[in-house]
Amino acid sequence: MTTEINFRGATFEQSAPSIHQCPPENGLEVAFAGRSNAGKSSAINTLTDNSKLARTSKTPGRTQLINFFSVGEGQRLVDLPGYGYAKVARAMKEEWQRNLSEYLQERDCLQGLVLLMDIRHPMQEFDSMMINWAVEVEMPVHILLTKADKLKRGPANSTLLAVRKQMQAAGVSDLVTAQCFSSLKRTGVDDLKRKLTEWLTPVQEVAQESEGSEPRT
């Protein structure tokens, strides 16, 4: 049986000002990315049940560091700086785009990308760019449609269905999954935990679980 990850035991590991100062590529990690107003830090805090783990700010775009959090031996969550809202120079934004692309395409221990989007404004230009980068290297992506509490259940489910249909139309539904999420109501936390556990479980552990299961008839 796959080992359960204790997300509540998450601890801050280190911050890196650039892709080149990230910790050594050992173990497994999952990155969280999204526009600065998508609720990324709030989602990480809700996942770990620690309101002070990832820094939140009333001014989106404040956090410019890559933050690493340990959730087990050789298992990390990575909080990437929010993009698209911060009032920084164009040259700095372009440099961050290059760094972000390099991180997604060359970080060997990266197992998947959680891409957060405000459910009221999904699939902005930045979101499409991130998905394209990930798909190029066959990196799985899990879309979190955040702030689902801002919509009634019907419109929220309609938005989720529309995003899934868009991924199917683009031929990437095998790599890109999606769900609704609300930090305020804790909607979708268990679904997110299952996805992260799937990504952060060592391959040999999965293989052992498969070998131990009874053959299908």
Side-chain angles (χ1 to χ4, degrees):
M1 187 173 181
T2 303
T3 305
E4 186 175 341
I5 296 174
N6 179 21
F7 291 101
R8 294 184 69 180
T11 57
F12 173 76
E13 189 172 309
Q14 77 167 76
S15 291
S18 77
I19 297 298
H20 304 289
Q21 290 165 286
C22 291
E25 292 206 49
N26 50 29
L28 306 173
E29 65 189 33
V30 172
F32 284 67
R35 289 176 60 85
S36 299
N37 54 348
K40 184 162 49 64
S41 296
S42 295
I44 292 174
N45 289 345
T46 300
L47 169 70
T48 58
D49 204 16
N50 184 345
S51 61
K52 297 181 180 179
L53 186 66
R55 182 179 300 175
T56 58
S57 172
K58 291 182 179 179
T59 305
R62 274 285 166 80
T63 305
Q64 296 298 315
L65 298 173
I66 306 165
N67 296 305
F68 293 82
F69 305 99
S70 173
V71 291
E73 188 171 351
Q75 298 168 312
R76 291 185 295 272
L77 304 179
V78 185
D79 185 10
L80 299 173
Y83 176 82
Y85 198 95
K87 295 180 180 178
V88 298
R90 178 183 291 272
M92 185 179 293
K93 285 187 178 180
E94 290 176 349
E95 180 182 1
W96 177 238
Q97 275 193 34
R98 288 192 296 272
N99 283 338
L100 198 54
S101 175
E102 183 178 337
Y103 172 81
L104 290 176
Q105 296 181 351
E106 297 184 15
R107 184 80 172 167
D108 290 336
C109 62
L110 183 63
Q111 301 301 299
L113 174 71
V114 177
L115 182 57
L116 295 91
M117 310 176 192
D118 186 322
I119 195 168
R120 298 164 297 178
H121 313 288
M123 296 306 300
Q124 301 290 309
E125 181 182 357
F126 168 73
D127 304 322
S128 297
M129 180 176 69
M130 292 292 289
I131 291 172
N132 288 338
W133 282 342
V135 168
E136 277 182 22
V137 291
E138 299 185 346
M139 171 74 62
V141 178
H142 188 59
I143 296 172
L144 274 196
L145 295 171
T146 62
K147 307 183 184 181
D149 54 279
K150 300 291 186 182
L151 296 179
K152 291 184 178 180
R153 182 172 295 181
N157 287 336
S158 294
T159 301
L160 175 60
L161 184 60
V163 169
R164 286 174 173 169
K165 283 184 175 179
Q166 191 171 348
M167 295 304 105
Q168 288 175 344
V172 297
S173 57
D174 57 327
L175 276 178
V176 186
T177 52
Q179 70 163 97
C180 293
F181 188 88
S182 167
S183 293
L184 183 65
K185 302 289 187 180
R186 296 187 62 83
T187 305
V189 174
D190 289 341
D191 291 337
L192 176 58
K193 285 182 177 179
R194 278 192 288 272
K195 177 58 69 174
L196 294 176
T197 299
E198 175 190 323
W199 284 346
L200 290 172
T201 299
V203 174
Q204 59 267 32
E205 205 170 301
V206 176
Q208 288 170 2
E209 184 175 342
S210 298
E211 289 171 6
S213 61
E214 294 182 5
R216 295 181 180 178
T217 55

